[in-house]
Short mmCIF file of all heavy atoms in Angstrom, two decimals:
data_model
loop_
_atom_site.label_atom_id
_atom_site.label_comp_id
_atom_site.label_asym_id
_atom_site.label_seq_id
_atom_site.Cartn_x
_atom_site.Cartn_y
_atom_site.Cartn_z
N TYR A 17 4.05 -7.22 -27.80
CA TYR A 17 4.39 -6.16 -26.85
C TYR A 17 5.74 -6.51 -26.21
O TYR A 17 5.99 -7.65 -25.88
CB TYR A 17 3.32 -6.07 -25.75
CG TYR A 17 2.06 -5.36 -26.18
CD1 TYR A 17 0.92 -6.08 -26.51
CD2 TYR A 17 2.02 -3.98 -26.21
CE1 TYR A 17 -0.25 -5.41 -26.89
CE2 TYR A 17 0.85 -3.31 -26.61
CZ TYR A 17 -0.27 -4.03 -26.93
OH TYR A 17 -1.41 -3.39 -27.32
N ASP A 18 6.58 -5.49 -26.04
CA ASP A 18 7.89 -5.72 -25.45
C ASP A 18 8.05 -5.05 -24.08
O ASP A 18 9.10 -5.15 -23.45
CB ASP A 18 9.01 -5.26 -26.39
CG ASP A 18 8.89 -3.79 -26.73
OD1 ASP A 18 7.99 -3.10 -26.20
OD2 ASP A 18 9.69 -3.33 -27.57
N GLY A 19 7.00 -4.37 -23.60
CA GLY A 19 7.08 -3.70 -22.30
C GLY A 19 5.90 -4.14 -21.43
O GLY A 19 4.84 -4.51 -21.93
N MET A 20 6.10 -4.07 -20.12
CA MET A 20 5.06 -4.52 -19.18
C MET A 20 5.10 -3.60 -17.95
O MET A 20 6.17 -3.23 -17.47
CB MET A 20 5.34 -5.96 -18.75
CG MET A 20 4.45 -6.52 -17.66
SD MET A 20 5.01 -8.15 -17.08
CE MET A 20 4.70 -9.15 -18.52
N GLU A 21 3.91 -3.22 -17.48
CA GLU A 21 3.80 -2.53 -16.20
C GLU A 21 3.00 -3.38 -15.25
O GLU A 21 1.92 -3.89 -15.61
CB GLU A 21 3.12 -1.17 -16.35
CG GLU A 21 2.99 -0.45 -15.00
CD GLU A 21 2.32 0.91 -15.07
OE1 GLU A 21 1.09 0.96 -14.98
OE2 GLU A 21 3.05 1.89 -15.24
N ILE A 22 3.51 -3.56 -14.07
CA ILE A 22 2.86 -4.36 -13.03
C ILE A 22 2.57 -3.44 -11.85
O ILE A 22 3.47 -2.72 -11.39
CB ILE A 22 3.72 -5.54 -12.56
CG1 ILE A 22 4.09 -6.43 -13.75
CG2 ILE A 22 3.02 -6.37 -11.49
CD1 ILE A 22 5.16 -7.46 -13.43
N SER A 23 1.34 -3.43 -11.38
CA SER A 23 0.99 -2.59 -10.26
C SER A 23 0.44 -3.44 -9.11
O SER A 23 -0.19 -4.49 -9.34
CB SER A 23 -0.08 -1.54 -10.68
OG SER A 23 -1.26 -2.18 -11.09
N LEU A 24 0.67 -2.97 -7.91
CA LEU A 24 0.21 -3.65 -6.70
C LEU A 24 -0.35 -2.61 -5.76
O LEU A 24 0.33 -1.65 -5.40
CB LEU A 24 1.33 -4.44 -6.03
CG LEU A 24 2.06 -5.46 -6.92
CD1 LEU A 24 3.40 -4.93 -7.34
CD2 LEU A 24 2.21 -6.80 -6.18
N ASN A 25 -1.61 -2.81 -5.36
CA ASN A 25 -2.24 -1.89 -4.43
C ASN A 25 -2.42 -2.56 -3.07
O ASN A 25 -2.89 -3.70 -2.98
CB ASN A 25 -3.63 -1.46 -4.93
CG ASN A 25 -3.55 -0.52 -6.10
OD1 ASN A 25 -2.47 -0.05 -6.46
ND2 ASN A 25 -4.66 -0.21 -6.73
N ILE A 26 -2.03 -1.85 -2.02
CA ILE A 26 -2.21 -2.30 -0.64
C ILE A 26 -3.14 -1.34 0.05
O ILE A 26 -2.95 -0.11 -0.02
CB ILE A 26 -0.88 -2.38 0.13
CG1 ILE A 26 0.13 -3.23 -0.63
CG2 ILE A 26 -1.10 -2.94 1.54
CD1 ILE A 26 1.52 -3.20 -0.02
N LYS A 27 -4.17 -1.86 0.72
CA LYS A 27 -5.10 -1.03 1.46
C LYS A 27 -5.04 -1.35 2.93
O LYS A 27 -5.08 -2.52 3.34
CB LYS A 27 -6.53 -1.26 0.93
CG LYS A 27 -7.59 -0.38 1.60
CD LYS A 27 -8.99 -0.77 1.11
CE LYS A 27 -9.14 -0.55 -0.37
NZ LYS A 27 -10.53 -0.88 -0.83
N CYS A 28 -4.91 -0.32 3.76
CA CYS A 28 -4.89 -0.52 5.21
C CYS A 28 -5.92 0.41 5.83
O CYS A 28 -6.23 1.48 5.32
CB CYS A 28 -3.50 -0.21 5.78
SG CYS A 28 -2.23 -1.40 5.32
N GLU A 29 -6.44 -0.02 6.96
CA GLU A 29 -7.43 0.81 7.68
C GLU A 29 -7.15 0.81 9.17
O GLU A 29 -6.58 -0.14 9.71
CB GLU A 29 -8.84 0.29 7.40
CG GLU A 29 -9.07 -1.15 7.80
CD GLU A 29 -10.48 -1.63 7.46
OE1 GLU A 29 -11.10 -1.09 6.54
OE2 GLU A 29 -10.96 -2.56 8.14
N GLY A 30 -7.53 1.90 9.80
CA GLY A 30 -7.33 2.04 11.24
C GLY A 30 -8.31 3.05 11.81
O GLY A 30 -9.08 3.67 11.08
N LEU A 31 -8.26 3.21 13.10
CA LEU A 31 -9.18 4.14 13.75
C LEU A 31 -8.81 5.59 13.48
O LEU A 31 -9.61 6.50 13.70
CB LEU A 31 -9.21 3.90 15.26
CG LEU A 31 -9.76 2.52 15.67
CD1 LEU A 31 -9.68 2.36 17.17
CD2 LEU A 31 -11.19 2.36 15.20
N SER A 32 -7.59 5.82 12.99
CA SER A 32 -7.16 7.15 12.62
C SER A 32 -6.34 7.05 11.34
O SER A 32 -5.85 5.97 10.99
CB SER A 32 -6.33 7.80 13.71
OG SER A 32 -5.09 7.11 13.87
N MET A 33 -6.19 8.17 10.64
CA MET A 33 -5.37 8.13 9.43
C MET A 33 -3.93 7.82 9.77
O MET A 33 -3.23 7.14 9.02
CB MET A 33 -5.47 9.48 8.71
CG MET A 33 -4.69 9.55 7.41
SD MET A 33 -5.12 8.18 6.25
CE MET A 33 -6.82 8.55 5.90
N GLN A 34 -3.47 8.31 10.91
CA GLN A 34 -2.11 8.02 11.32
C GLN A 34 -1.89 6.51 11.49
O GLN A 34 -0.87 5.96 11.09
CB GLN A 34 -1.78 8.74 12.64
CG GLN A 34 -0.33 8.56 13.09
CD GLN A 34 -0.02 9.34 14.35
OE1 GLN A 34 -0.91 9.97 14.94
NE2 GLN A 34 1.23 9.33 14.80
N ALA A 35 -2.86 5.84 12.09
CA ALA A 35 -2.77 4.39 12.28
C ALA A 35 -2.80 3.67 10.94
O ALA A 35 -2.06 2.70 10.73
CB ALA A 35 -3.90 3.91 13.17
N SER A 36 -3.64 4.14 10.03
CA SER A 36 -3.72 3.52 8.71
C SER A 36 -2.42 3.65 7.97
O SER A 36 -1.92 2.72 7.35
CB SER A 36 -4.86 4.16 7.89
OG SER A 36 -6.11 3.94 8.51
N LEU A 37 -1.82 4.84 8.01
CA LEU A 37 -0.57 5.08 7.32
C LEU A 37 0.59 4.28 7.92
O LEU A 37 1.49 3.83 7.21
CB LEU A 37 -0.22 6.57 7.32
CG LEU A 37 -1.16 7.46 6.48
CD1 LEU A 37 -0.82 8.92 6.69
CD2 LEU A 37 -1.08 7.10 5.01
N ARG A 38 0.54 4.09 9.24
CA ARG A 38 1.58 3.27 9.90
C ARG A 38 1.49 1.83 9.43
O ARG A 38 2.51 1.19 9.11
CB ARG A 38 1.45 3.37 11.41
CG ARG A 38 2.57 2.64 12.17
CD ARG A 38 2.54 2.93 13.64
NE ARG A 38 1.26 2.54 14.29
CZ ARG A 38 0.35 3.40 14.71
NH1 ARG A 38 0.57 4.70 14.57
NH2 ARG A 38 -0.76 2.96 15.26
N LYS A 39 0.27 1.30 9.36
CA LYS A 39 0.11 -0.08 8.84
C LYS A 39 0.53 -0.17 7.39
O LYS A 39 1.14 -1.14 6.97
CB LYS A 39 -1.37 -0.49 8.96
CG LYS A 39 -1.86 -0.76 10.37
CD LYS A 39 -3.31 -1.23 10.34
CE LYS A 39 -3.86 -1.50 11.72
NZ LYS A 39 -5.28 -1.94 11.68
N LEU A 40 0.23 0.89 6.65
CA LEU A 40 0.59 0.92 5.23
C LEU A 40 2.10 0.86 5.06
O LEU A 40 2.63 0.16 4.19
CB LEU A 40 0.01 2.18 4.60
CG LEU A 40 -0.26 2.15 3.09
CD1 LEU A 40 -1.32 1.12 2.76
CD2 LEU A 40 -0.72 3.54 2.62
N GLN A 41 2.80 1.63 5.87
CA GLN A 41 4.26 1.65 5.78
C GLN A 41 4.85 0.29 6.14
O GLN A 41 5.76 -0.20 5.47
CB GLN A 41 4.82 2.74 6.71
CG GLN A 41 6.33 2.90 6.63
CD GLN A 41 6.78 3.38 5.25
OE1 GLN A 41 6.32 4.42 4.79
NE2 GLN A 41 7.62 2.62 4.59
N GLU A 42 4.30 -0.33 7.19
CA GLU A 42 4.79 -1.65 7.61
C GLU A 42 4.55 -2.69 6.51
O GLU A 42 5.44 -3.50 6.21
CB GLU A 42 4.09 -2.09 8.90
CG GLU A 42 4.45 -1.22 10.11
CD GLU A 42 3.60 -1.55 11.32
OE1 GLU A 42 2.65 -2.35 11.18
OE2 GLU A 42 3.89 -1.03 12.41
N SER A 43 3.39 -2.64 5.89
CA SER A 43 3.06 -3.60 4.83
C SER A 43 3.95 -3.37 3.61
O SER A 43 4.44 -4.32 2.99
CB SER A 43 1.59 -3.48 4.43
OG SER A 43 0.74 -3.78 5.54
N THR A 44 4.15 -2.11 3.26
CA THR A 44 4.99 -1.78 2.10
C THR A 44 6.42 -2.25 2.35
O THR A 44 7.06 -2.84 1.46
CB THR A 44 4.98 -0.25 1.84
OG1 THR A 44 3.64 0.18 1.61
CG2 THR A 44 5.86 0.10 0.63
N ASP A 45 6.95 -2.00 3.54
CA ASP A 45 8.32 -2.43 3.87
C ASP A 45 8.43 -3.96 3.77
O ASP A 45 9.44 -4.49 3.27
CB ASP A 45 8.71 -1.97 5.27
CG ASP A 45 8.90 -0.46 5.34
OD1 ASP A 45 9.00 0.18 4.29
OD2 ASP A 45 8.92 0.09 6.46
#
């Protein structure tokens, strides 16, 4: 094989979806 795909999943949780997404953005950054 000469090609490779690498995936990384990050999961965040909070009391609201807004809080979860904020943590997700911080972790991604």
Side-chain angles (χ1 to χ4, degrees):
Y17 282 101
D18 58 4
M20 174 189 292
E21 179 180 89
I22 303 169
S23 63
L24 304 104
N25 288 352
I26 305 172
K27 183 185 297 183
C28 291
E29 58 183 26
L31 295 177
S32 67
M33 182 54 64
Q34 183 178 5
S36 296
L37 292 174
R38 184 170 59 252
K39 288 182 180 179
L40 205 63
Q41 184 64 58
E42 293 172 354
S43 299
T44 301
D45 291 344

